Amino acid sequence: MKRPEISVIVPVFNVEQYLSRCIESILLQSFYDFELLLIDDGSFDNSGKICDEYAKKDDRIRVIHKENGGVSSARNVGLCNAQGNWVCFVDGDDSIEKAYLSILFVENLKESSLVIMNYLDDLNVKDIQLSGKEMVKYFIESKLIRGTGPYCKLFNNRILKYNNIIFNTHVHMGEDGLFLLQYLYCIDNMIVLENRKVYNYIQHPGSLSTKYYTFESEYECFQLWHRYLCQFVEKYGEVFENVEVVAWKSRVDEAFLRSVQALSRHRPRYKFMRVLHLLEAIPKEHTDNFGFYYETNLLRRKLSRFLIKKRWFVMYWLYSKLDFLYNMKYGKI
């Protein structure tokens, strides 16, 4: 049986309201040579049934039902089962325009290891093919590092499998960026495409980007972002000496701030002594560097930065609780 050119992986969890639109948008692609993997991550609404109904209608669809393990777990199951030469991701509550796969499947694809389509409106990115140090330099200078979601990208399945690149299931925010950084470290060429407005991202109250997770999960995300930054600096040292890396280091700062903020967010409710223990266990080098690249005009952010850098953790905890209650009262959280 001939391998499909592209495996489209869709993690599905309780998205019955959006799922049919998502699947239909994929089946209507002008590019036909693909398989569609619908990974039902233990949905308890009608999402699983909807997947099965579509699989009966189109032999390009494969449905895999699994116990709930989160979006990274679902994507990893998709990666394990993907038979295509290339892999792309679409979220179950999003949709794509008819030309989405055709645009990603560029003519000179075999000469590259990654296709990235910019989807950030404020980035002026043009179509370009890059390799080696120029690839890393462009990725940093163009600030594409801000667009690290798995969508609008085409990954080489052989490279993914050879290097065992999967999503980190312990990290629940920023795991898609970590996945991309692992992949970038293993390749030496890529194609960048300007924004074509062909991916329709839907953000709603249940979206992952609206949630905070445990300190442990958020802090592990920060540590991994920091580690990958150091690895890239070691591999492409002279590039990092000559380009502005504020966008990258801002992502590291943002991950650090999220981890600290998690201690005063909804769940779990950390007790005072537990909070102090976790904060005091943070290495001084991390608090010393925090906020150096994360510019902000918000007074509350500046105050948080000041208290953390000073390691005045009792005062920070009291302030963060008051700030959290204030934002809850006025509906800002």
Side-chain angles (χ1 to χ4, degrees):
M1 181 178 177
K2 179 181 177 296
R3 294 168 62 94
E5 285 290 356
I6 301 176
S7 293
V8 183
I9 298 174
V10 179
V12 175
F13 178 69
N14 290 351
V15 287
E16 62 177 6
Q17 180 180 351
Y18 311 94
L19 186 56
S20 291
R21 181 190 60 190
C22 173
I23 296 175
E24 290 284 355
S25 73
I26 297 171
L27 296 180
L28 291 173
Q29 289 297 293
S30 57
F31 182 93
Y32 189 83
D33 191 9
F34 67 88
E35 66 171 351
L36 173 56
L37 300 178
L38 300 173
I39 315 300
D40 174 27
D41 190 35
S43 299
F44 49 81
D45 64 0
N46 290 316
S47 295
K49 294 180 181 178
I50 294 173
C51 291
D52 291 335
E53 289 172 1
Y54 274 99
K56 294 176 183 177
K57 302 175 184 178
D58 196 310
D59 58 11
R60 292 175 296 175
I61 299 177
R62 284 192 286 150
V63 180
I64 300 174
H65 300 280
K66 61 181 287 296
E67 293 184 2
N68 180 252
V71 64
S72 290
S73 173
R75 287 171 178 158
N76 288 342
V77 169
L79 288 172
C80 288
N81 289 274
Q83 297 177 355
N85 296 315
W86 298 86
V87 171
C88 75
F89 298 91
V90 177
D91 284 350
D93 47 3
D94 296 339
S95 64
I96 55 178
E97 298 299 321
K98 188 175 181 178
Y100 180 73
L101 293 181
S102 295
I103 292 173
L104 285 175
F105 199 78
V106 294
E107 291 183 5
N108 52 345
L109 183 60
K110 292 182 179 180
E111 301 174 17
S112 186
S113 301
L114 172 67
V115 179
I116 294 182
M117 187 192 308
N118 170 48
Y119 59 88
L120 300 175
D121 292 332
D122 59 340
L123 295 189
N124 186 22
V125 174
K126 302 298 182 182
D127 293 359
I128 189 171
Q129 186 167 358
L130 302 154
S131 61
K133 295 176 181 178
E134 287 302 313
M135 174 189 75
V136 178
K137 180 180 179 181
Y138 188 86
F139 184 72
I140 298 170
E141 289 188 329
S142 66
K143 298 184 180 180
L144 275 173
I145 192 165
R146 290 168 43 208
T148 55
Y151 32 80
C152 294
K153 296 173 181 64
L154 203 58
F155 300 92
N156 186 301
N157 198 12
R158 179 183 57 81
I159 294 174
L160 288 170
K161 286 181 165 50
Y162 181 80
N163 294 282
N164 192 31
I165 300 173
I166 59 175
F167 290 86
N168 189 315
T169 57
H170 301 291
V171 174
H172 303 93
M173 179 60 70
E175 76 287 350
D176 43 9
L178 297 173
F179 176 85
L180 179 60
L181 292 182
Q182 289 182 78
Y183 189 84
L184 280 172
Y185 190 78
C186 296
I187 66 175
D188 59 8
N189 50 69
M190 72 177 185
I191 296 173
V192 178
L193 305 176
E194 66 181 14
N195 193 338
R196 260 76 165 191
K197 302 285 187 181
V198 288
Y199 190 95
N200 304 310
Y201 173 70
I202 305 298
Q203 187 168 357
H204 51 84
S207 297
L208 286 175
S209 57
T210 65
K211 300 178 182 178
Y212 273 81
Y213 295 89
T214 65
F215 169 82
E216 289 80 4
S217 174
E218 300 279 6
Y219 190 63
E220 181 174 350
C221 176
F222 155 71
Q223 290 178 303
L224 290 170
W225 268 95
H226 185 266
R227 181 193 303 172
Y228 291 141
L229 170 61
C230 294
Q231 288 179 350
F232 273 85
V233 170
E234 182 177 353
K235 184 176 181 179
Y236 299 102
E238 60 189 78
V239 172
F240 283 81
E241 293 174 2
N242 300 317
V243 302
E244 189 65 65
V245 294
V246 171
W248 188 313
K249 293 188 177 180
S250 292
R251 287 298 303 265
V252 178
D253 269 5
E254 183 180 5
F256 181 85
L257 181 60
R258 283 187 60 91
S259 67
V260 177
Q261 286 178 330
L263 294 171
S264 59
R265 298 289 174 170
H266 300 280
R267 298 183 181 87
R269 294 194 178 276
Y270 293 93
K271 302 300 182 183
F272 177 70
M273 294 307 297
R274 175 64 173 161
V275 170
L276 289 186
H277 174 75
L278 291 171
L279 289 172
E280 290 172 353
I282 296 174
K284 189 174 184 299
E285 64 176 292
H286 290 170
T287 53
D288 285 345
N289 293 328
F290 167 66
F292 187 76
Y293 296 94
Y294 197 24
E295 295 302 324
T296 178
N297 292 320
L298 294 176
L299 180 60
R300 33 196 297 268
R301 280 277 176 90
K302 289 182 177 181
L303 182 56
S304 294
R305 175 193 300 178
F306 175 78
L307 295 174
I308 292 170
K309 287 175 71 71
K310 289 289 187 179
R311 298 182 70 87
W312 294 349
F313 295 135
V314 174
M315 293 181 64
Y316 170 76
W317 185 85
L318 292 172
Y319 165 73
S320 64
K321 295 296 286 185
L322 290 172
D323 182 60
F324 175 70
L325 293 172
Y326 172 83
N327 284 289
M328 281 286 290
K329 180 179 180 180
Y330 292 99
K332 296 182 179 181
I333 296 181

